[in-house]
Amino acid sequence: MKSINLFFTLTTILSLIISLSTTPTQAQQSSSARPAPPRLSPSFYARTCPRAATIIRNSITRAVSREKRMAASLIRLHFHDCFVQGCDASVLLDETASIQSEKTALPNNNSARGFDVIEAAKREVERICPGVVSCADILTLAARDASVAVSTIYN
Ligand SMILES: *[C@@H]1O[C@H](CO)[C@@H](O)[C@H](O)[C@H]1NC(C)=O
């Protein structure tokens, strides 16, 4: 009985601390005139590069047709890109003399693959819409298209 009372007391104190520490933040957010947070949209490139999605899909489909395993590799590459600090295509960056890249970090070194496939898709997109479609988006679409391709080509 005593331990149950202690549990409720601690829970009450804890929720009080949490509500006190979060209330000012929420008040600040609602009173400031911040723009609405950006929203993800599947039609983001509909006007700026309408053929991007098709070009990427065709490029990824060709790569998965050549090698079934590439589908898994591209999905994994996207997953690993989301470490460290978000899905920002940082896994694609090469190492420099002063910066250790995610590409050659221990979990990825000699194990992450499919860079050439992403680069080929990026090259094709760059030909028609230079500087429009981000590497991060290509990596994300590649993972999606690879999963579709492997299930349609090999079924
Ligand atoms: C990554 O692999 C290369 C080639 O095998 C090796 O020379 C390098 O030391 C490795 N880097 C790390 C951080 O393990």
Side-chain angles (χ1 to χ4, degrees):
M1 199 62 184
K2 224 174 189 173
S3 66
I4 291 172
N5 279 338
L6 183 65
F7 171 77
F8 281 112
T9 307
L10 287 175
T11 309
T12 308
I13 291 170
L14 199 63
S15 56
L16 197 63
I17 291 169
I18 290 168
S19 69
L20 286 175
S21 62
T22 56
T23 304
T25 314
Q26 286 164 349
Q28 280 167 358
Q29 280 174 353
S30 62
S31 65
S32 68
R34 275 201 209 144
R39 296 214 180 108
L40 296 173
S41 165
S43 57
F44 185 78
Y45 294 112
R47 278 188 297 137
T48 52
C49 192
R51 289 177 54 215
T54 305
I55 288 168
I56 294 163
R57 187 176 61 241
N58 290 342
S59 186
I60 299 305
T61 303
R62 280 196 307 274
V64 173
S65 311
R66 282 192 301 268
E67 187 200 6
K68 187 179 188 178
R69 181 186 164 204
M70 187 50 70
S73 300
L74 292 174
I75 293 165
R76 180 170 183 261
L77 194 59
H78 179 251
F79 172 70
H80 277 227
D81 177 44
C82 299
F83 298 93
V84 178
Q85 290 185 0
C87 316
D88 53 4
S90 50
V91 76
L92 303 175
L93 298 174
D94 288 330
E95 185 121 328
T96 70
S98 57
I99 300 169
Q100 200 212 339
S101 71
E102 289 176 38
K103 199 180 202 173
T104 54
L106 204 57
N108 297 328
N109 202 19
N110 305 315
S111 116
R113 60 194 293 276
F115 296 103
D116 53 331
V117 171
I118 300 299
E119 282 162 17
K122 174 70 170 165
R123 262 195 309 276
E124 287 183 56
V125 171
E126 284 300 299
R127 256 203 306 274
I128 57 148
C129 315
V132 173
V133 183
S134 77
C135 290
D137 286 342
I138 291 175
L139 200 45
T140 302
L141 289 172
R144 179 195 66 176
D145 295 343
S147 71
V148 172
V150 77
S151 67
T152 52
I153 296 168
Y154 297 96
N155 265 338

